[in-house]
Amino acid sequence: MVKVQTEYLSYKQAMKILGLSSYITLTAYIKAGLPVIEVAGSKRIKKSDLDAFMTSHYVNSEEA
């Protein structure tokens, strides 16, 4: 059986990739600008959008 990887992630899949255990934290990311796609009540996060969002939030280690 071939495992198919999708570009569009469920919230649960996105949380697993990010290492999150709380929907509250994912909701905070969404409020901070993480794009969500919604079609007929189904919400998905595009993998490339997730990567771009995280990359855009790099913090200089001297400032942290």
Side-chain angles (χ1 to χ4, degrees):
M1 180 187 242
V2 176
K3 186 175 181 179
V4 177
Q5 289 189 342
T6 180
E7 172 71 7
Y8 300 96
L9 308 168
S10 67
Y11 280 14
K12 187 174 182 179
Q13 291 169 316
M15 288 173 58
K16 185 175 182 181
I17 289 171
L18 293 169
L20 303 176
S21 59
S22 169
Y23 282 105
I24 294 169
T25 305
L26 182 62
T27 301
Y29 285 17
I30 293 167
K31 287 180 181 178
L34 177 61
V36 174
I37 299 166
E38 183 174 3
V39 178
S42 176
K43 295 180 181 179
R44 296 287 183 258
I45 297 172
K46 193 172 180 182
K47 174 82 168 68
S48 58
D49 287 343
L50 180 62
D51 293 337
F53 175 79
M54 294 305 288
T55 300
S56 72
H57 285 82
Y58 271 111
V59 176
N60 184 337
S61 61
E62 294 174 6
E63 295 174 6

